[in-house]
């Protein structure tokens, strides 16, 4: 219903690529917290960063189910950090380049991003703001032909090694929602500094706190219209939350598959543990949860692909899929017993990496309130015009 033969061929080729080019390096990147630049260019050469990008700028302009496959297969190599670095570049930073960047910005930044020659990051969250996007304190003051940016951002994926930053800042601090704009900032601009953060999981990715100290950028680096930053960010949250939902069902599915394989090989009390009813019923429930979320996420993808604004559904997906993934991976680890707690087995890392799901991209608490507003108060969220 959702995937064609072309999709299936892409899945196989991408899975083979990851096994050959990425998996041999994952343990090293998990330890160093630094992903070598060569892999970005290999992704670019294969077209993986251009799946949903316009052909005019070097993309492939494919439907969103190629993106779903991209996300699902990245989860199967069991490095949430590596996966996050890739999709934060392709579906956070590059989404803003595609939607709000003018022709110059697209040619100078989007095309090299598709080629894997430039890495981007999206800077929204602040140390004092968290999920309160409208309450951000970073400012961009217009001075002649420039903007001067001051403030700080935190928990930024690709925040250390990226080449450019997509930055949300207040151009009119007096107006909470209409006073925000989006800017493109080069990493080497004077006044930009970053500090690497030490995390529980996602250890392969470089998560940073970034400071802007009188950072001067040309007015041409304003993306889209001044004052439209908040609706720009909000309209892209539908895709970001769907990305998080797909990631969740994919890693949970991999956890179930691994647990089933382990149960087939492990023996206790003279028989394989997949014959014990209590464990079998646990797996049945785990598999059911995964399948329900996966099917819902596919239906959302179809609607988003058709241009339908699915902010409610994507918010529901992220809320429930990330919760489900934590529960399923917890249970999968339990099925491995003591081995599940060992770093030599994949569940330990997966358990740590999964915990960010209900936090990043809008906490579950915030999502519940957003959904409540739509369901109870009949509030409507519309795309930026």
């Amino acid at each position: 219903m959702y995937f064609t033969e072309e999709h299936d061929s892409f899945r196989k080729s991408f899975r083979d690529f990851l096994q050959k080019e990425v998996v041999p390096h994952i343990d090293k990147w998990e330890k160093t917290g630094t992903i070598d630049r060569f892999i970005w260019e290999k992704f670019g050469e294969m077209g993986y960063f251009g799946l949903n990008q316009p052909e005019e700028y070097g993309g492939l302009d494919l439907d969103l189910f190629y993106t779903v496959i991209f996300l699902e297969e990245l989860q199967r190599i069991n490095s949430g950090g590596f996966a996050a670095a890739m999709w934060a570049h392709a579906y956070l930073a590059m989404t803003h380049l595609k939607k709000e960047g003018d022709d110059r910005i697209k040619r100078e930044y989007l095309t090299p991003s598709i080629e894997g020659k430039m890495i981007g990051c999206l800077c929204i969250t602040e140390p004092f703001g968290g999920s309160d996007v409208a309450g951000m304190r970073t400012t961009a003051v217009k001075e002649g032909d420039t903007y001067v940016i001051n403030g700080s951002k935190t928990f930024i994926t690709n925040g250390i090694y990226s080449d450019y930053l997509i930055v949300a800042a207040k151009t009119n601090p007096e107006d909470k929602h209409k006073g925000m704009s989006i800017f493109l900032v080069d990493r080497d601009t004077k006044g930009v500094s970053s500090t690497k953060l030490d995390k529980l999981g996602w250890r392969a990715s470089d998560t940073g706190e970034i400071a802007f100290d009188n950072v001067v950028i040309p007015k041409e680096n304003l993306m889209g219209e001044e004052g439209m930053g908040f609706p720009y960010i909000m309209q892209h949250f539908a895709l970001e939350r769907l990305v998080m939902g797909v990631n969740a069902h994919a890693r949970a599915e991999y956890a179930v598959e691994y647990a089933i394989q382990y149960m087939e090989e492990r023996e206790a009390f003279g028989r394989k543990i997949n014959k014990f009813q209590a464990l079998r019923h646990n797996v049945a429930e785990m598999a059911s949860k995964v399948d329900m979320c996966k099917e819902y996420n596919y239906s959302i993808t179809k609607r988003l692909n058709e241009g339908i604004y699915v902010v409610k559904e994507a918010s529901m997906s992220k809320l429930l899929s990330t919760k489900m993934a934590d529960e399923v991976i917890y249970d999968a680890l339990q099925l491995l017993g003591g081995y599940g707690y060992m770093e030599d087995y994949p569940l330990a890392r997966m358990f740590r990496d999964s915990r960010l799901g209900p936090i990043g991209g809008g906490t579950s608490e915030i999502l519940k309130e957003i959904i409540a507003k739509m369901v109870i108060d009949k509030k409507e969220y519309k795309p930026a015009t």
Side-chain angles (χ1 to χ4, degrees):
M1 183 161 49
Y2 301 113
F3 298 101
T4 63
E5 288 185 12
E6 288 78 10
H7 288 125
D8 294 338
S9 296
F10 172 70
R11 186 186 295 277
K12 184 180 184 306
S13 65
F14 186 45
R15 184 177 294 186
D16 291 344
F17 170 85
L18 291 174
Q19 289 298 319
K20 179 183 176 183
E21 304 290 350
V22 177
V23 170
H25 306 284
I26 285 295
D27 286 344
K28 172 191 168 186
W29 295 336
E30 284 281 325
K31 289 175 182 174
T32 63
T34 305
I35 298 167
D36 292 326
R37 295 285 299 215
F38 76 83
I39 199 61
W40 298 86
E41 294 202 19
K42 286 195 174 182
F43 266 66
E45 289 168 8
M46 297 298 291
Y48 297 140
F49 290 140
L51 297 177
N52 71 329
Q53 296 293 342
E55 293 182 31
E56 180 183 359
Y57 299 101
L60 299 172
D61 200 21
L62 298 169
D63 66 67
L64 277 176
F65 283 99
Y66 285 92
T67 291
V68 168
I69 294 167
F70 176 82
L71 298 170
E72 288 179 333
E73 293 304 315
L74 279 172
Q75 292 299 313
R76 296 183 67 86
I77 64 173
N78 196 30
S79 174
F82 179 82
M86 298 299 116
W87 61 255
H89 169 64
Y91 296 104
L92 298 187
M94 287 172 60
T95 293
H96 282 275
L97 292 180
K98 173 186 175 182
K99 295 292 188 179
E100 287 102 53
D102 58 20
D103 183 66
R104 176 191 70 85
I105 286 175
K106 287 176 179 173
R107 296 196 182 280
E108 293 182 11
Y109 294 89
L110 182 58
T111 295
S113 295
I114 292 170
E115 295 169 345
K117 295 176 180 176
M118 295 185 81
I119 302 170
C121 69
L122 177 62
C123 303
I124 296 177
T125 302
E126 298 190 354
F128 302 101
S131 296
D132 182 12
V133 175
M136 70 172 51
R137 302 180 185 181
T138 298
T139 59
V141 178
K142 194 169 186 180
E143 294 185 2
D145 292 335
T146 66
Y147 283 93
V148 181
I149 301 177
N150 283 283
S152 60
K153 304 290 180 178
T154 195
F155 309 140
I156 308 304
T157 303
N158 297 336
I160 304 297
Y161 303 116
S162 54
D163 301 295
Y164 63 87
L165 307 89
I166 307 298
V167 181
K170 285 290 185 71
T171 40
N172 179 10
E174 305 304 316
D175 195 323
K176 189 171 184 181
H177 290 91
K178 295 182 181 179
M180 188 187 305
S181 303
I182 303 289
F183 299 91
L184 188 149
V185 179
D186 285 304
R187 165 71 57 178
D188 57 6
T189 306
K190 183 179 179 183
V192 177
S193 61
S194 57
T195 304
K196 197 170 188 176
L197 301 175
D198 191 14
K199 311 183 295 294
L200 171 67
W202 281 22
R203 300 194 69 83
S205 67
D206 54 301
T207 303
E209 183 163 323
I210 302 172
F212 302 91
D213 182 9
N214 290 316
V215 174
V216 180
I217 61 170
K219 67 178 183 180
E220 291 77 18
N221 280 25
L222 169 70
M223 294 176 60
E225 297 180 34
E226 185 175 293
M228 287 292 289
F230 189 77
Y232 290 152
I233 292 167
M234 290 298 111
Q235 74 177 5
H236 300 326
F237 270 160
L239 177 60
E240 180 181 355
R241 288 167 186 165
L242 177 59
V243 165
M244 297 288 277
V246 170
N247 287 338
H249 85 232
R251 65 177 172 269
E253 184 172 52
Y254 176 67
V256 172
E257 290 177 7
Y258 188 86
I260 290 172
Q261 176 188 335
Y262 177 85
M263 291 168 67
E264 171 66 27
E265 299 167 355
R266 177 73 168 172
E267 291 190 5
F269 304 102
R271 55 178 173 159
K272 292 178 180 178
I273 64 172
N274 64 1
K275 301 301 181 185
F276 290 97
Q277 187 181 69
L279 304 187
R280 292 166 64 87
H281 288 187
N282 275 355
V283 172
E285 189 170 350
M286 292 157 63
S288 299
K289 290 178 179 177
V290 171
D291 213 53
M292 292 290 284
C293 287
K294 182 166 71 167
E295 186 65 29
Y296 185 58
N297 289 339
Y298 288 171
S299 73
I300 297 172
T301 302
K302 185 175 186 296
R303 280 176 277 176
L304 189 59
N305 201 54
E306 293 170 350
I308 300 171
Y309 194 52
V310 289
V311 66
K312 180 183 77 172
E313 294 84 354
S315 299
M316 290 175 169
S317 164
K318 182 186 181 300
L319 175 66
L320 294 185
S321 296
T322 56
K323 180 182 179 183
M324 176 278 297
D326 276 3
E327 292 172 349
V328 166
I329 292 169
Y330 180 98
D331 290 340
L333 191 154
Q334 183 72 18
L335 288 170
L336 269 68
Y339 290 111
Y341 204 64
M342 298 297 108
E343 292 288 345
D344 292 338
Y345 288 73
L347 270 300
R349 181 190 297 166
M350 201 182 307
F351 185 76
R352 286 185 279 110
D353 285 352
S354 183
R355 190 59 188 85
L356 188 59
I359 299 172
T363 65
S364 293
E365 291 74 18
I366 291 293
L367 291 180
K368 288 176 184 178
E369 182 56 27
I370 290 171
I371 295 166
K373 286 179 180 178
M374 288 185 277
V375 173
I376 299 172
D377 305 332
K378 309 303 180 187
K379 181 176 176 61
E380 292 186 10
Y381 292 94
K382 297 180 179 179
T385 55

